[in-house]
Amino acid sequence: MQLDLGLNLSTKRTRKREFLDEMNRVVPWPRLIVLIEPHYPQGKTGRPPFRFETMLRIHFLQQWFGLSDPAMEEALYDVPLYSEFAGLGSGMTPLPDESTILRFRHLLEAHGLAVQILAVINEVLCEHGLMLKNGSVVDATLISAPSSTKNASGSRDPEMHQTKKGNQWYFGMKAHIGVDAHSGLVHSVIGTAANVHDVNVAHALLHGKESDVYADAGYRGVEKRDGTDQVCWHVAMSPGRRRLLDQTDRLDAIYDRIERLKAGIRAKVEHPFRILKRQFCYNKTRYRGLRKNTAQITTILALGNLWMARKTLYAR
């Protein structure tokens, strides 16, 4: 009698397979299914719809690997690993086409489910003690948008704008985020046009339970804005002023040490941006309009929280 020892030598444990196995273990599928199920069509007439868990898994595959709707449809045919992860059988099993994938994405956007997905994931992380919520770090990053007018409308995206950073001009949007100062996990996401100043949305990034907030020099004067005076703001000294500090002077040396400590805490906010732009390759907007792109960024950062916390989730 041949024993099955669970060793499938015909399947190589590639990095992509390892990644999907890790994410499959940490994504709270049951809670997300309960969240989405009330909004999913029941399919009382016509062709039965695909299972919403299958469509959710396909949607997450798009975010992880930067696939458009047509590219996702083709990948389900070309990459058996993707079909396996989505729970689609082999052989004669029908696969979702690009229109079905697009409609599911529009369903999530119409009901604002990206923000709710982030909230559900953060609830799970809070239950594991990963978000202390007594301090936050706020920051923003520029996301470029296509500036070409060679499209159906013959114009650039009207909701995107240009701004200057340093000596370079950018056209696109900003992703503003608030992260936990201890864990670096994202708790708030807001998308605006690139020309919106960071200070204007700082108060909206706070969850209301923090006592201290850390920000870079771009947030100078934030404590004077309405809705931001309930917490203690730790804003970085301007680079020009810091360069004038005399390290041989005792008081200036203390100021420089304080700035170093604040910078060490602010560094937490760079980790989600690295995951967004490097891990999941989101360097340019993929849709027209702020709402669609903000929903995608929110979903990616929610999944990024799980990626950052995966090792801790394994151990508990």
Side-chain angles (χ1 to χ4, degrees), residues 139-159:
D139 203 354
T141 187
L142 289 166
I143 307 291
S144 298
S147 58
S148 173
T149 59
K150 295 180 180 179
N151 50 53
S153 63
S155 63
R156 300 191 299 184
D157 190 337
E159 296 186 21

Side-chain angles (χ1 to χ4, degrees), residues 183-250:
S183 62
L185 299 172
V186 179
H187 58 68
S188 306
V189 182
I190 296 176
T192 67
N195 61 341
V196 175
H197 199 282
D198 299 352
V199 176
N200 294 339
V201 296
H203 65 283
L205 295 173
L206 308 183
H207 53 64
K209 296 181 181 179
E210 60 267 281
S211 57
D212 297 272
V213 183
Y214 299 83
D216 61 26
Y219 290 84
R220 283 177 297 170
V222 65
E223 65 277 357
K224 301 177 183 178
R225 298 295 182 101
D226 293 337
T228 61
D229 56 353
Q230 304 301 317
V231 297
C232 181
W233 285 87
H234 305 275
V235 180
M237 184 183 296
S238 66
R241 183 181 173 187
R242 188 175 178 185
R243 282 193 294 269
L244 297 177
L245 294 177
D246 184 1
Q247 296 296 327
T248 62
D249 182 82
R250 184 176 180 181

Side-chain angles (χ1 to χ4, degrees), residues 20-275:
L20 290 179
D21 285 347
E22 288 180 342
M23 297 307 296
N24 188 48
R25 290 173 59 186
V26 298
V27 173
W29 298 112
R31 295 197 187 189
L32 295 180
I33 290 171
V34 170
L35 172 68
I36 297 173
E37 184 176 9
H39 307 286
Y40 198 69
Q42 300 300 316
K44 296 181 180 179
T45 59
R47 187 177 66 181
F50 291 91
R51 293 187 310 124
F52 41 84
E53 181 178 354
T54 294
M55 298 307 303
L56 181 63
R57 286 174 175 268
I58 292 173
H59 182 66
F60 285 175
L61 284 170
Q62 283 187 279
Q63 314 314 317
W64 289 326
F65 300 110
L67 299 172
S68 65
D69 299 331
M72 187 69 249
E73 177 188 356
E74 293 185 359
L76 290 174
Y77 285 95
D78 295 337
V79 185
L81 177 60
Y82 291 170
S83 297
E84 177 186 334
F85 179 83
L88 296 167
S90 57
M92 301 301 294
T93 303
L95 301 179
D97 58 16
E98 62 177 277
S99 297
T100 303
I101 296 171
L102 178 144
R103 285 195 296 271
F104 183 79
R105 175 167 55 82
H106 285 179
L107 173 73
L108 299 181
E109 294 167 0
H111 297 282
L113 292 177
V115 175
Q116 297 180 50
I117 288 173
L118 175 62
V120 167
I121 288 175
N122 285 347
E123 284 179 8
V124 174
L125 297 175
C126 287
E127 292 170 4
H128 287 80
L130 293 173
M131 299 187 73
L132 301 181
K133 291 191 173 182
N134 58 353
S136 290
V137 186
V138 297
D139 203 354
T141 187
L142 289 166
I143 307 291
S144 298
S147 58
S148 173
T149 59
K150 295 180 180 179
N151 50 53
S153 63
S155 63
R156 300 191 299 184
D157 190 337
E159 296 186 21
M160 304 294 169
H161 290 276
Q162 65 181 15
T163 188
K164 189 176 184 181
K165 183 177 181 180
N167 294 321
Q168 187 171 354
W169 285 93
Y170 295 87
F171 175 79
M173 64 176 292
K174 271 186 182 179
H176 306 260
I177 66 172
V179 308
D180 182 74
H182 175 74
S183 62
L185 299 172
V186 179
H187 58 68
S188 306
V189 182
I190 296 176
T192 67
N195 61 341
V196 175
H197 199 282
D198 299 352
V199 176
N200 294 339
V201 296
H203 65 283
L205 295 173
L206 308 183
H207 53 64
K209 296 181 181 179
E210 60 267 281
S211 57
D212 297 272
V213 183
Y214 299 83
D216 61 26
Y219 290 84
R220 283 177 297 170
V222 65
E223 65 277 357
K224 301 177 183 178
R225 298 295 182 101
D226 293 337
T228 61
D229 56 353
Q230 304 301 317
V231 297
C232 181
W233 285 87
H234 305 275
V235 180
M237 184 183 296
S238 66
R241 183 181 173 187
R242 188 175 178 185
R243 282 193 294 269
L244 297 177
L245 294 177
D246 184 1
Q247 296 296 327
T248 62
D249 182 82
R250 184 176 180 181
L251 185 58
D252 282 1
I254 293 175
Y255 282 141
D256 185 71
R257 178 59 178 170
I258 292 173
E259 290 303 313
R260 287 178 180 272
L261 293 173
K262 290 192 293 186
I265 298 174
R266 291 199 314 275
K268 293 285 186 180
V269 79
E270 300 300 334
H271 298 174
F273 290 148
R274 183 196 65 81
I275 290 176

